[in-house]
Amino acid sequence: MVVHSLIETERFGQRYAVSGEAAPRTVELEALGSDYRATGYTTREQADDIGRLLELGPGSVLLDIGAGCGWPGLYLATTLGCSVVSVDPIMEGCSAALDRIGSDDLGPRALALLGTGEQLPIRSGSIDAIVHADVMC
């Protein structure tokens, strides 16, 4: 079982809280080619490679574990037309993902859940691919 310490939860919560500010988003856009409030290191080119390798498209469902703000899963849903379930144990990460789902008008094709990858309310066979970019296990 994965146990997140209070210190770890607070630390990531603080990182997500400031990730929406202008300076961090400018750095993210310059370094990664994205503006998703990402706290990881996956570049846009790498995200595109992930989508291509997983053969994502309309009708496929992606599970993004440790998704935080939703990068790269929400990006792949936007660019490739797949659906995505973003899961993160940090409330601020889920909140950022929900904000992005709304701003990208992903509505019924995207869901942000607070939790870990251990016990998810997902029916067997309902997910086509799983990604966990920049997750420390």
Side-chain angles (χ1 to χ4, degrees):
M1 173 167 47
V2 176
V3 177
H4 297 280
S5 72
L6 182 57
I7 293 170
E8 182 180 87
T9 300
E10 288 177 4
R11 183 172 58 94
F12 272 95
Q14 291 170 353
R15 287 180 68 191
Y16 288 123
V18 299
S19 67
E21 295 176 6
R25 286 184 91 159
T26 299
V27 170
E28 177 190 355
L29 188 58
E30 179 73 24
L32 303 178
S34 69
D35 67 345
Y36 280 73
R37 299 174 57 179
T39 57
Y41 306 98
T42 302
T43 66
R44 176 174 258 168
E45 182 179 325
Q46 290 168 330
D48 290 334
D49 287 345
I50 290 168
R52 186 173 42 261
L53 290 169
L54 295 176
E55 299 178 355
L56 298 173
S60 52
V61 181
L62 174 67
L63 174 60
D64 189 354
I65 297 176
C69 58
W71 176 259
L74 295 177
Y75 166 77
L76 294 170
T78 300
T79 58
L80 300 176
C82 65
S83 296
V84 64
V85 178
S86 295
V87 180
D88 198 78
I90 309 297
M91 178 59 79
E92 292 84 355
C94 288
S95 180
L98 284 171
D99 290 345
R100 191 63 187 231
I101 288 168
S103 68
D104 286 355
D105 198 28
L106 289 172
R109 289 192 302 113
L111 178 64
L113 299 175
L114 182 64
T116 66
E118 290 179 295
Q119 294 180 329
L120 297 172
I122 296 174
R123 187 177 68 246
S124 180
S126 63
I127 301 295
D128 298 299
I130 300 172
V131 67
H132 55 92
D134 303 318
V135 175
M136 295 186 70
C137 300

PDB file of all heavy atoms in Angstrom, residues 8 16 21 29 32 34-35 48 50 52-53 64 115-116 128 136:
ATOM      1  N   GLU A   8       4.805  15.190   2.565  1.00  0.00           N
ATOM      2  CA  GLU A   8       4.805  15.011   1.115  1.00  0.00           C
ATOM      3  C   GLU A   8       3.548  15.614   0.492  1.00  0.00           C
ATOM      4  O   GLU A   8       3.611  16.295  -0.529  1.00  0.00           O
ATOM      5  CB  GLU A   8       4.893  13.523   0.791  1.00  0.00           C
ATOM      6  CG  GLU A   8       4.944  13.195  -0.669  1.00  0.00           C
ATOM      7  CD  GLU A   8       5.021  11.701  -0.891  1.00  0.00           C
ATOM      8  OE1 GLU A   8       3.951  11.068  -0.943  1.00  0.00           O
ATOM      9  OE2 GLU A   8       6.138  11.182  -1.011  1.00  0.00           O
ATOM     10  N   TYR A  16       1.708  22.605  -6.569  1.00  0.00           N
ATOM     11  CA  TYR A  16       0.583  22.805  -7.477  1.00  0.00           C
ATOM     12  C   TYR A  16      -0.033  24.184  -7.292  1.00  0.00           C
ATOM     13  O   TYR A  16      -0.476  24.804  -8.255  1.00  0.00           O
ATOM     14  CB  TYR A  16      -0.482  21.731  -7.290  1.00  0.00           C
ATOM     15  CG  TYR A  16      -0.065  20.388  -7.820  1.00  0.00           C
ATOM     16  CD1 TYR A  16      -0.042  19.272  -6.999  1.00  0.00           C
ATOM     17  CD2 TYR A  16       0.322  20.227  -9.147  1.00  0.00           C
ATOM     18  CE1 TYR A  16       0.351  18.037  -7.482  1.00  0.00           C
ATOM     19  CE2 TYR A  16       0.716  18.998  -9.631  1.00  0.00           C
ATOM     20  CZ  TYR A  16       0.728  17.904  -8.795  1.00  0.00           C
ATOM     21  OH  TYR A  16       1.115  16.694  -9.283  1.00  0.00           O
ATOM     22  N   GLU A  21       0.929  30.185 -11.439  1.00  0.00           N
ATOM     23  CA  GLU A  21       1.390  31.566 -11.545  1.00  0.00           C
ATOM     24  C   GLU A  21       2.168  31.777 -12.838  1.00  0.00           C
ATOM     25  O   GLU A  21       2.639  30.840 -13.469  1.00  0.00           O
ATOM     26  CB  GLU A  21       2.235  31.917 -10.319  1.00  0.00           C
ATOM     27  CG  GLU A  21       1.417  31.893  -9.034  1.00  0.00           C
ATOM     28  CD  GLU A  21       2.238  32.144  -7.788  1.00  0.00           C
ATOM     29  OE1 GLU A  21       3.449  32.446  -7.908  1.00  0.00           O
ATOM     30  OE2 GLU A  21       1.672  32.030  -6.695  1.00  0.00           O
ATOM     31  N   LEU A  29       6.373  26.346 -20.298  1.00  0.00           N
ATOM     32  CA  LEU A  29       6.171  26.468 -21.743  1.00  0.00           C
ATOM     33  C   LEU A  29       7.506  26.437 -22.483  1.00  0.00           C
ATOM     34  O   LEU A  29       7.646  25.764 -23.502  1.00  0.00           O
ATOM     35  CB  LEU A  29       5.409  27.757 -22.060  1.00  0.00           C
ATOM     36  CG  LEU A  29       4.946  27.939 -23.482  1.00  0.00           C
ATOM     37  CD1 LEU A  29       4.045  26.782 -23.927  1.00  0.00           C
ATOM     38  CD2 LEU A  29       4.192  29.249 -23.621  1.00  0.00           C
ATOM     39  N   LEU A  32       9.135  22.611 -21.509  1.00  0.00           N
ATOM     40  CA  LEU A  32       8.387  21.405 -21.871  1.00  0.00           C
ATOM     41  C   LEU A  32       7.503  21.568 -23.101  1.00  0.00           C
ATOM     42  O   LEU A  32       7.054  20.578 -23.672  1.00  0.00           O
ATOM     43  CB  LEU A  32       7.515  20.948 -20.694  1.00  0.00           C
ATOM     44  CG  LEU A  32       8.226  20.675 -19.374  1.00  0.00           C
ATOM     45  CD1 LEU A  32       7.221  20.275 -18.306  1.00  0.00           C
ATOM     46  CD2 LEU A  32       9.306  19.635 -19.541  1.00  0.00           C
ATOM     47  N   SER A  34       4.537  22.987 -22.845  1.00  0.00           N
ATOM     48  CA  SER A  34       3.166  22.866 -22.358  1.00  0.00           C
ATOM     49  C   SER A  34       2.874  23.973 -21.362  1.00  0.00           C
ATOM     50  O   SER A  34       3.778  24.619 -20.852  1.00  0.00           O
ATOM     51  CB  SER A  34       2.957  21.500 -21.692  1.00  0.00           C
ATOM     52  OG  SER A  34       3.679  21.428 -20.478  1.00  0.00           O
ATOM     53  N   ASP A  35       1.594  24.162 -21.085  1.00  0.00           N
ATOM     54  CA  ASP A  35       1.192  25.139 -20.061  1.00  0.00           C
ATOM     55  C   ASP A  35       0.089  24.542 -19.184  1.00  0.00           C
ATOM     56  O   ASP A  35      -0.920  25.152 -18.916  1.00  0.00           O
ATOM     57  CB  ASP A  35       0.746  26.451 -20.691  1.00  0.00           C
ATOM     58  CG  ASP A  35      -0.532  26.322 -21.486  1.00  0.00           C
ATOM     59  OD1 ASP A  35      -0.938  25.192 -21.805  1.00  0.00           O
ATOM     60  OD2 ASP A  35      -1.138  27.360 -21.778  1.00  0.00           O
ATOM     61  N   ASP A  48       3.647  13.425 -27.209  1.00  0.00           N
ATOM     62  CA  ASP A  48       3.185  13.023 -28.541  1.00  0.00           C
ATOM     63  C   ASP A  48       3.621  11.593 -28.858  1.00  0.00           C
ATOM     64  O   ASP A  48       2.848  10.805 -29.414  1.00  0.00           O
ATOM     65  CB  ASP A  48       3.706  13.982 -29.609  1.00  0.00           C
ATOM     66  CG  ASP A  48       3.066  15.357 -29.541  1.00  0.00           C
ATOM     67  OD1 ASP A  48       1.927  15.481 -29.040  1.00  0.00           O
ATOM     68  OD2 ASP A  48       3.715  16.324 -29.998  1.00  0.00           O
ATOM     69  N   ILE A  50       4.180   9.219 -26.660  1.00  0.00           N
ATOM     70  CA  ILE A  50       3.352   8.338 -25.834  1.00  0.00           C
ATOM     71  C   ILE A  50       2.017   8.074 -26.523  1.00  0.00           C
ATOM     72  O   ILE A  50       1.577   6.927 -26.631  1.00  0.00           O
ATOM     73  CB  ILE A  50       3.125   8.949 -24.431  1.00  0.00           C
ATOM     74  CG1 ILE A  50       4.425   8.921 -23.622  1.00  0.00           C
ATOM     75  CG2 ILE A  50       2.004   8.229 -23.682  1.00  0.00           C
ATOM     76  CD1 ILE A  50       4.378   9.747 -22.340  1.00  0.00           C
ATOM     77  N   ARG A  52       1.241   8.297 -29.654  1.00  0.00           N
ATOM     78  CA  ARG A  52       1.441   7.518 -30.881  1.00  0.00           C
ATOM     79  C   ARG A  52       1.725   6.047 -30.549  1.00  0.00           C
ATOM     80  O   ARG A  52       1.135   5.144 -31.138  1.00  0.00           O
ATOM     81  CB  ARG A  52       2.582   8.128 -31.697  1.00  0.00           C
ATOM     82  CG  ARG A  52       2.799   7.517 -33.053  1.00  0.00           C
ATOM     83  CD  ARG A  52       3.827   8.258 -33.913  1.00  0.00           C
ATOM     84  NE  ARG A  52       5.030   8.701 -33.214  1.00  0.00           N
ATOM     85  CZ  ARG A  52       5.231   9.948 -32.761  1.00  0.00           C
ATOM     86  NH1 ARG A  52       4.315  10.873 -32.916  1.00  0.00           N
ATOM     87  NH2 ARG A  52       6.361  10.273 -32.138  1.00  0.00           N
ATOM     88  N   LEU A  53       2.612   5.810 -29.576  1.00  0.00           N
ATOM     89  CA  LEU A  53       2.955   4.437 -29.203  1.00  0.00           C
ATOM     90  C   LEU A  53       1.761   3.683 -28.615  1.00  0.00           C
ATOM     91  O   LEU A  53       1.618   2.478 -28.829  1.00  0.00           O
ATOM     92  CB  LEU A  53       4.114   4.436 -28.205  1.00  0.00           C
ATOM     93  CG  LEU A  53       5.464   4.844 -28.771  1.00  0.00           C
ATOM     94  CD1 LEU A  53       6.475   5.058 -27.644  1.00  0.00           C
ATOM     95  CD2 LEU A  53       5.978   3.808 -29.749  1.00  0.00           C
ATOM     96  N   ASP A  64      -4.473   7.917 -16.535  1.00  0.00           N
ATOM     97  CA  ASP A  64      -3.253   8.646 -16.196  1.00  0.00           C
ATOM     98  C   ASP A  64      -3.110   8.622 -14.678  1.00  0.00           C
ATOM     99  O   ASP A  64      -3.806   9.345 -13.969  1.00  0.00           O
ATOM    100  CB  ASP A  64      -3.341  10.074 -16.729  1.00  0.00           C
ATOM    101  CG  ASP A  64      -2.036  10.841 -16.618  1.00  0.00           C
ATOM    102  OD1 ASP A  64      -1.075  10.319 -16.023  1.00  0.00           O
ATOM    103  OD2 ASP A  64      -1.987  11.977 -17.128  1.00  0.00           O
ATOM    104  N   GLY A 115      -7.074  10.082  -5.661  1.00  0.00           N
ATOM    105  CA  GLY A 115      -6.775   8.717  -5.242  1.00  0.00           C
ATOM    106  C   GLY A 115      -5.433   8.249  -5.766  1.00  0.00           C
ATOM    107  O   GLY A 115      -4.668   9.023  -6.339  1.00  0.00           O
ATOM    108  N   THR A 116      -5.177   6.978  -5.547  1.00  0.00           N
ATOM    109  CA  THR A 116      -3.946   6.355  -6.036  1.00  0.00           C
ATOM    110  C   THR A 116      -4.329   5.293  -7.058  1.00  0.00           C
ATOM    111  O   THR A 116      -5.503   5.032  -7.275  1.00  0.00           O
ATOM    112  CB  THR A 116      -3.161   5.700  -4.876  1.00  0.00           C
ATOM    113  OG1 THR A 116      -3.922   4.607  -4.369  1.00  0.00           O
ATOM    114  CG2 THR A 116      -2.852   6.701  -3.767  1.00  0.00           C
ATOM    115  N   ASP A 128      -8.006   1.320 -22.168  1.00  0.00           N
ATOM    116  CA  ASP A 128      -7.191   0.859 -23.299  1.00  0.00           C
ATOM    117  C   ASP A 128      -5.697   1.031 -23.068  1.00  0.00           C
ATOM    118  O   ASP A 128      -4.888   0.299 -23.644  1.00  0.00           O
ATOM    119  CB  ASP A 128      -7.595   1.617 -24.572  1.00  0.00           C
ATOM    120  CG  ASP A 128      -9.034   1.345 -24.931  1.00  0.00           C
ATOM    121  OD1 ASP A 128      -9.374   0.176 -25.192  1.00  0.00           O
ATOM    122  OD2 ASP A 128      -9.844   2.296 -24.933  1.00  0.00           O
ATOM    123  N   MET A 136       6.955   9.193  -9.032  1.00  0.00           N
ATOM    124  CA  MET A 136       7.950   8.534  -8.197  1.00  0.00           C
ATOM    125  C   MET A 136       7.251   7.472  -7.371  1.00  0.00           C
ATOM    126  O   MET A 136       6.352   7.785  -6.601  1.00  0.00           O
ATOM    127  CB  MET A 136       8.653   9.550  -7.317  1.00  0.00           C
ATOM    128  CG  MET A 136       9.454  10.547  -8.131  1.00  0.00           C
ATOM    129  SD  MET A 136      10.408  11.640  -7.125  1.00  0.00           S
ATOM    130  CE  MET A 136      11.632  10.517  -6.498  1.00  0.00           C
TER     131      MET A 136
END
